[in-house]
Amino acid sequence: MKKIALFFSLLVGLSTLIHAQPAIFVQSIAGKDILCMEQDKQGYLWIGTSQGLYRYNGSTFQAFKSGKDIQSLNSDYVNSLYRSPEGELWLSNDCGLAQWTGSSFLYPEEASYTPIEGIMEFNPTTLVVRKPATFELVSKKDMSTIKAVRTQRTPIDSKYQFIPQQKE
């Protein structure tokens, strides 16, 4: 019941935020779990769902799904979106990290197949990527991991504890 109330609250809030008719929004995204949202520097609203990524321009939606062309995702489950202060749009899905270039998605040379729980900026050249058991510093230039730190969640409050690295 809480999910239904949250969904309708989100619809009302989005319709006033983007000045759209709720009926158009409901028809385009109906039946999809909305997992994340972000607005890019051009003003597009990006919506990550369990069934693809959607870009809303104020009147229509463009769907991005997994496939073979350059505008395709490598996985439909988009669980995190992040816009950097420089305007770069980053996303994570079941296959790891990706960046929207304005016309296509860039991926690391090797897909990690490790779910990413969140993305944020560490500095202008580095992202912090949160995975289930690690925080990773990732280069924006080539999406390579600079450093990984193991973590674990405490069962009481679901906060992270850093596990000291053992010297070999």
Side-chain angles (χ1 to χ4, degrees):
M1 193 63 174
K2 286 183 179 181
K3 283 185 177 182
I4 294 171
L6 178 62
F7 177 74
F8 283 106
S9 297
L10 181 65
L11 283 178
V12 171
L14 276 176
S15 66
T16 58
L17 175 69
I18 58 180
H19 307 291
Q21 297 174 359
I24 294 171
F25 185 81
V26 171
Q27 290 171 359
S28 298
I29 305 293
K32 296 166 183 67
D33 296 327
I34 296 174
L35 303 171
C36 53
M37 286 187 272
E38 188 65 67
Q39 187 173 11
D40 69 15
K41 65 182 180 181
Q42 288 82 24
Y44 292 114
L45 179 65
W46 293 81
I47 303 166
T49 74
S50 59
Q51 298 175 20
L53 180 65
Y54 296 84
R55 184 174 70 182
Y56 183 66
N57 67 6
S59 59
T60 59
F61 285 90
Q62 180 178 0
F64 296 89
K65 303 274 189 168
S66 58
K68 302 281 186 209
D69 65 18
I70 62 168
Q71 282 196 335
S72 294
L73 297 171
N74 56 2
S75 169
D76 285 337
Y77 193 89
V78 178
N79 62 340
S80 183
L81 290 165
Y82 172 71
R83 185 183 75 167
S84 72
E86 296 80 27
E88 304 159 324
L89 185 68
W90 296 86
L91 68 92
S92 67
N93 58 27
D94 291 343
C95 294
L97 191 62
Q99 181 188 12
W100 175 250
T101 66
S103 60
S104 63
F105 293 99
L106 287 179
Y107 301 100
E109 288 186 23
E110 293 184 27
S112 68
Y113 301 104
T114 303
I116 293 175
E117 297 174 343
I119 308 166
M120 60 185 268
E121 189 162 88
F122 182 71
N123 63 37
T125 62
T126 310
L127 296 172
V128 175
V129 174
R130 187 183 69 208
K131 294 184 176 182
T134 61
F135 281 89
E136 294 181 4
L137 294 178
V138 175
S139 167
K140 285 182 169 182
K141 183 177 179 181
D142 62 3
M143 294 185 234
S144 63
T145 300
I146 298 167
K147 182 174 182 163
V149 179
R150 288 194 58 226
T151 61
Q152 71 182 27
R153 289 187 185 183
T154 57
I156 297 172
D157 57 10
S158 294
K159 292 185 179 175
Y160 288 94
Q161 286 183 332
F162 290 94
I163 299 171
Q165 293 183 348
Q166 305 208 353
K167 295 183 180 182
E168 296 178 19

